[in-house]
Amino acid sequence: MMMAKPSPALLQRPGDAAEMVIRGARVLDPRADLDAVRDIVVRGGEIAELAEPGAAEAPAGAESVGGVGLLVLPAFVDPHVHLRVPGQEHKEDLETGTRAAAAGGYCAVIAMANTEPPIDSAAVLGSVRERALFEASVPVGFVANVTQGMAGGELTEMAELREAGAVGFSDDGLPIRSARVLRRALQYQRLSGGVIALHEEDPDLSGDGVMHEGEVSAVLGLAGVPAVSESTMIARDCSLALYERARIHIQHLSARASVEEVARAKAAGVEVTCEASPHHLTLTDEAVRSLDAGFKMNPPLRSEDDRQALIEGLRDGTIDCVATDHAPHAPEEKEVPFEQAAMGVTGLEKAFAVLHTELVLPGVLELETLVERMTFGGEPFGIPAPRIEPGAPANLVLIDPAKEWVVGEDGYESRAFNSCFAGRTLTGRVLMTVAAGQVAYRRRSFAISAAAEVAG
Ligand SMILES: [Zn+2]
Ligand SMILES: [Zn+2]
């Protein structure tokens, strides 16, 4: 009998290995303790050399990219996106979703499993992984469901799903309501590896809420989702994880009480990581006064005090990573009254620019910290954060940190345009993304000037 080869965690469409020199950019990688102007030589898709500016020798046939005044960072990793495959390709698919990721500077994304059908069997998982080999311009890892049909009852075949390549497990979109079911899943997690990523809310407390429960919901007369709907479940699940010595990842924190629960759990030795989204870090429920369904998502935008706690958590490391929770929807699912609109917003194409503009430029967050949090997202799923060092695969993003642009002015790479930042002027634009050694994105105007430099 042939032994099965271990399945790679991340899959993408094969392409040409990058051959290039990026000259004279500021190269910043906090994990490699690197912040200096350098020439970066990429050969055969690997970082071959970091040289003093002007000192690098270009490999034969390599492209020369002018980097003066630009920033090179390790490319980003998003632990939480919805690529809608299989079954909801009218919202997004692997090609459009990974194109959006590449345009946002990402070199890897983790796709959620609340699809149609959900990814609750090795057969469905195998089919989406197969499609990624033909359609994904950026490496994609797939989680599988925790429970069959996301119904919250019977567990999936977690060990088999791990063997078939699942990077972890999640019923995201829905909480795991039963503590008994989650406890059993945690017991299997310990045996099978991976991590269980949890969408935390208590359905009894959320009820039919459509926004944050607070002053604004009271004024608008809309049903609210209280912050304790999230934090009480986080407390429960951290206790269960500690008791079972299992690993969990808490998705999209939105509230101060949630940050406090995670901080307590980490101090108590729980193996827990967590994420926060650009929209929860930069917007509050005040935005919902417009009744624009573009500001409807789950968890909801919360109060300014909650937002400040998320920023502090991101700064001090209680929050490990930024996740966009990229949730594309078709226009007809959003262009309806607020209460009926679908939950969720897109995120991949502007996450860096939003956080750079709203947190880094005003001096609220160090750029180094933002880079660490935007590159860590694969770690909970066993995917190491990219590094800029010789011998490493080229996972790089080239950014013009001073470039102002308006979200949506050139359209989107995503099939969807339900962005809560549409029309905003942001500072910092991705010009090129190299993902797993392949050029995954190149901004059009920038491509022309780079080509001219090669010709000249
Ligand atoms: Zn969720
Ligand atoms: Zn989600």
Side-chain angles (χ1 to χ4, degrees):
M1 203 182 93
M2 281 225 326
M3 287 290 289
K5 268 207 305 192
S7 307
L10 300 175
L11 300 165
Q12 76 184 123
R13 186 172 56 212
D16 293 338
E19 305 277 346
M20 64 170 64
V21 185
I22 305 170
R23 294 194 183 275
R26 176 187 173 196
V27 184
L28 175 65
D29 180 359
R31 276 187 201 87
D33 201 20
L34 175 65
D35 184 3
V37 174
R38 287 284 180 269
D39 287 354
I40 303 182
V41 181
V42 176
R43 194 179 292 141
E46 279 191 2
I47 297 170
E49 192 187 349
L50 291 163
E52 293 291 326
E57 265 185 54
E63 177 186 4
S64 176
V65 177
V68 174
L70 305 180
L71 185 61
V72 174
L73 305 174
F76 312 132
V77 181
D78 195 331
H80 186 161
V81 302
H82 296 271
L83 299 182
R84 306 303 193 196
V85 176
Q88 298 175 315
E89 287 84 353
H90 66 289
K91 298 175 192 264
E92 192 79 289
D93 61 33
L94 296 182
E95 192 188 337
T96 57
T98 57
R99 234 166 43 211
Y106 287 87
C107 64
V109 296
I110 311 273
M112 292 299 118
N114 60 337
T115 49
E116 289 179 10
I119 303 175
D120 63 356
S121 70
V124 179
L125 177 63
S127 73
V128 290
R129 281 170 53 85
E130 176 80 16
R131 280 175 72 172
L133 288 173
F134 294 92
E135 298 170 19
S137 53
V138 159
V140 183
F142 293 90
V143 300
N145 292 128
V146 179
T147 67
Q148 288 179 29
M150 292 179 61
E154 295 294 310
L155 296 184
T156 55
E157 297 290 341
M158 290 171 62
E160 186 189 338
L161 286 160
R162 277 288 288 165
E163 270 171 42
V167 295
F169 303 92
S170 183
D171 280 0
D172 178 45
L174 296 172
I176 296 173
R177 188 174 197 141
S178 160
R180 179 182 54 82
V181 169
L182 180 60
R183 183 186 175 193
R184 287 200 53 224
L186 293 169
Q187 291 165 346
Y188 280 105
Q189 184 279 319
R190 260 185 63 206
L191 298 173
S192 65
V195 66
I196 296 184
L198 295 162
H199 167 120
E200 300 287 32
E201 66 175 314
D202 182 333
D204 291 326
L205 290 173
S206 289
D208 51 9
V210 294
M211 68 173 293
H212 172 61
E213 180 177 288
E215 266 174 56
V216 181
S217 69
V219 168
L220 295 173
L222 291 175
V225 177
V228 287
S229 171
E230 180 175 285
S231 60
T232 54
M233 287 290 267
I234 292 174
R236 183 198 79 171
D237 294 350
C238 287
S239 293
L240 287 169
L242 183 65
Y243 189 73
E244 296 297 346
R245 285 170 291 136
R247 282 184 50 225
I248 58 172
H249 175 75
I250 310 285
Q251 300 179 299
H252 45 49
L253 260 64
S254 69
R256 174 176 290 279
S258 303
V259 181
E260 290 169 354
E261 289 298 347
V262 171
R264 252 196 295 280
K266 285 185 167 181
V270 182
E271 284 193 73
V272 57
T273 50
C274 68
E275 61 186 41
S277 76
H279 45 275
H280 290 112
L281 287 160
T282 59
L283 297 170
T284 69
D285 61 347
E286 287 295 324
V288 181
R289 283 188 197 273
S290 64
L291 291 177
D292 178 344
F295 297 107
K296 184 176 178 187
M297 67 283 285
N298 190 16
L301 298 173
R302 297 203 184 270
S303 71
E304 178 61 16
D305 180 61
D306 291 311
R307 185 179 84 90
Q308 289 301 330
L310 294 177
I311 294 169
E312 191 48 44
L314 193 68
R315 200 188 281 131
D316 71 19
T318 304
I319 296 172
D320 300 271
C321 50
V322 171
T324 64
D325 194 6
H326 179 79
H329 288 295
E332 63 273 18
E333 295 160 328
K334 276 296 201 181
E335 288 164 7
V336 291
F338 191 87
E339 286 166 278
Q340 283 119 54
M343 306 247 200
V345 292
T346 60
L348 286 166
E349 291 173 61
K350 59 268 168 184
F352 172 81
V354 165
L355 296 170
H356 182 247
T357 305
E358 300 292 329
L359 301 184
V360 175
L361 292 180
V364 175
L365 190 73
E366 295 285 337
L367 177 61
E368 288 78 357
T369 308
L370 179 61
V371 173
E372 287 192 58
R373 303 290 180 262
M374 288 196 70
T375 51
F376 186 83
E379 297 266 0
F381 300 86
I383 296 150
R387 274 173 181 258
I388 303 181
E389 57 191 15
N395 287 299
L396 303 168
V397 56
L398 180 69
I399 290 170
D400 182 344
K403 177 72 182 171
E404 289 196 349
W405 60 290
V406 178
V407 177
E409 64 180 346
D410 300 335
Y412 299 100
E413 299 292 338
S414 169
R415 176 159 296 144
F417 39 91
N418 54 302
S419 169
C420 57
F421 298 105
R424 281 240 202 169
T425 300
L426 302 177
T427 305
R429 181 116 224 208
V430 172
L431 299 179
M432 182 172 71
T433 306
V434 182
Q438 300 176 26
V439 176
Y441 173 77
R442 208 188 275 272
R443 187 155 167 71
R444 271 157 297 180
S445 56
F446 170 71
I448 291 162
S449 63
E453 187 169 329
V454 173

